[in-house]
Amino acid sequence: MVGSALERRLAREGCEILTAGRQELDLIDQSAVRAWMADRRPDVVIIAAAKVGGILANDTYPADFLYDNLMIEANLIEAAFRNDVEKLLFLGSSCIYPKFADQPIDEDALLTGPLEPTNEWYAIAKIAGIKLCQAYRRQHGVDYISAMPTNLYGPGDNYNLQSSHVIPALIRKAHEAKLAGAPSMTIWGTGTPKREFLHADDCADALVHLLKVYSGNGHVNVGSGEDMTIEALATLVMQIVGFEGELEKDLTKPDGTPRKLMKADRLRDLGWTPKIGMREGLETAYRWFLDHQNMAKL
Ligand code: GFB
C-alpha cells in the first residue's frame, strides 16, 4: 500500500523509480538483496517493505513479525551502504512507543517504558531499524533517516479480516452487512481505544518531503495530529458505506494500546501538513474496495 502510494507520488518528481516486487526479490534473502542493490545501484532507497498486519496478526505470529522485519531492514541497510546509496529512508511505526506514553507522543518517548504486548515483536524490529540507521550514520557518516507513520489506510490495503488493520476490516464488515441486510456488525474489543489515522497518499507526500528537507539523526513522527475512538470510526464507516444496523462488540478480542496519538510538531516545523481528511480518505478507500473486491478478499 505505501509502496504504491510512493510510486504515485514520485511520478511527479522526474526521477527514475526502481521497485523490487515480491516475485522479483525476496528481501529476507541477504545475497539476493546484495546482488539486486549492486546491479541497480539506486541513489536513494526507501524501505517501505515490511511484514505488517493488524492487532490479531501481530499477536498470532510474533516470530514472523520479528524475524522478517529484522531481516528486511538489516539486508537493505547493509546492502545500501555497500553500494554507496546517498540517502535512505526507513519506515517504522507508531507502535515503537511505550504502551502508556504521554499523549501526544513526542519522538523522545522512544525507549522510556514497556511496549504494548500485542505488537512488541513488530515494535522491537522497527526500533532496531531506527537504531541501524543511527548506527550507520554515526559509524559511517551516511544520510540515513527514519520516519514513524501512524496507522495508515488507503488504496491497496489488506482486506483479509484475520490479518487486516481496523479500517479495511470495518469497511468490509459494513459492506457485507449492508449486502446481507444484517441487523448488526461486530467490532473487536470495547470500541474505546483511540487511534490516529493517515491516508497512504498523505504519508507518501510526507515521506518525499522528508527526503528533500530532512537529514537528522532522530526519527520523525508522520501522522495527522488527530485521533478518534474505534467506535466513532465504526460509526463514520457505517455512514459512508450506508449500513444502518447496530454495532456489536466482541469482547473476546484485544483492544491493544489505549491511545497512540503522535506529536506532529517536528514534521510541521519541517513544513508539511496533511491534506486528506478522514471522511474523504475513507470514501476513496471504500471506492477502491468496491473496484477491487476480488483482489481485496484474498
Ligand atoms: O488497526 P488495528 O488492528 O491495530 O486495531 P493497532 C486498532 C483497534 O481497532 C484495536 C480495534 O483496538 C482493535 O481491537 N478493532 C475493532 C479492530 N474492530 C476491529 C477489526 O475488525 N479488525 C481489527 N484489526 N481491529 C497495530 C499493530 O496495532 O497497528 C501493528 O499491531 C502496527 O504493529 C499498526 O503498529 C499500525 O493500532 O492496535
Side-chain angles (χ1 to χ4, degrees):
M1 178 173 72
V2 179
S4 313
L6 279 163
E7 266 192 280
R8 289 193 291 278
R9 175 61 187 83
L10 286 169
R12 290 194 262 133
E13 290 296 323
C15 56
E16 185 189 352
I17 305 165
L18 306 175
T19 59
R22 204 175 282 260
Q23 309 305 328
E24 180 192 350
L25 177 61
D26 178 2
L27 295 173
I28 289 171
D29 181 339
Q30 186 187 54
S31 50
V33 172
R34 284 187 182 175
W36 188 94
M37 203 72 81
D39 179 48
R40 305 297 180 91
R41 299 196 68 89
D43 301 309
V44 177
V45 168
I46 307 174
I47 306 182
K51 166 89 178 167
V52 298
I55 191 165
L56 191 64
N58 270 266
D59 207 20
T60 312
Y61 305 108
D64 293 354
F65 275 82
L66 183 54
Y67 176 80
D68 289 7
N69 287 309
L70 285 172
M71 292 301 284
I72 291 169
E73 67 209 26
N75 288 343
L76 282 169
I77 290 170
E78 169 67 13
F81 172 65
R82 285 173 178 237
N83 290 284
D84 304 319
V85 166
E86 284 168 27
K87 183 134 194 168
L88 179 143
L89 170 57
F90 171 71
L91 300 196
S93 161
S94 58
C95 72
I96 58 162
Y97 294 114
K99 174 170 181 151
F100 297 113
D102 286 345
Q103 310 282 319
I105 311 173
D106 191 274
E107 282 89 350
D108 292 339
L110 183 65
L111 294 173
T112 56
L115 298 164
E116 153 61 32
T118 54
N119 58 34
E120 66 178 313
W121 319 97
Y122 182 69
I124 290 284
K126 290 298 184 182
I127 293 169
I130 299 173
K131 292 296 166 192
L132 273 171
C133 289
Q134 291 176 345
Y136 278 71
R137 169 181 291 275
R138 182 165 159 180
Q139 188 176 332
H140 301 298
V142 289
D143 190 7
Y144 294 178
I145 61 173
S146 301
M148 297 305 118
T150 185
N151 290 35
L152 302 173
Y153 70 99
D157 212 340
N158 167 22
Y159 280 82
N160 178 312
L161 293 179
Q162 294 309 305
S163 56
S164 76
H165 288 101
V166 63
I167 287 184
L170 296 183
I171 288 176
R172 179 170 170 182
K173 285 179 181 177
H175 178 73
E176 291 181 350
K178 182 175 87 168
L179 289 192
S184 65
M185 67 174 247
T186 304
I187 60 170
W188 294 352
T190 60
T192 57
K194 294 183 98 177
R195 291 290 183 273
E196 175 186 11
F197 299 102
L198 187 70
H199 193 279
D201 286 330
D202 255 346
C203 179
D205 193 51
L207 298 175
V208 172
H209 184 75
L210 280 176
L211 277 173
K212 290 180 180 175
V213 305
Y214 189 68
S215 290
N217 181 61
H219 61 280
V220 181
N221 290 341
V222 176
S224 62
E226 291 169 14
D227 62 358
M228 66 198 304
T229 65
I230 296 302
E231 185 159 356
L233 171 72
T235 306
L236 183 58
V237 169
M238 284 161 68
Q239 273 176 20
I240 286 166
V241 171
F243 173 59
E244 291 175 351
E246 300 293 316
L247 201 57
E248 307 258 347
K249 290 163 189 168
D250 178 354
L251 300 180
T252 67
K253 293 286 194 305
D255 269 343
T257 202
R259 196 176 180 204
K260 49 177 172 179
L261 175 65
M262 296 192 299
K263 209 170 188 176
D265 299 18
R266 194 174 281 183
L267 186 55
R268 284 182 195 221
D269 290 349
L270 289 166
W272 187 87
T273 47
K275 284 143 203 91
I276 306 172
M278 264 321 265
R279 178 174 283 275
E280 180 197 349
L282 289 174
E283 282 169 355
T284 60
Y286 182 41
R287 218 170 300 131
W288 187 90
F289 171 74
L290 291 175
D291 292 343
H292 298 82
Q293 276 186 77
N294 291 339
M295 193 176 137
K297 283 190 180 184
L298 287 176

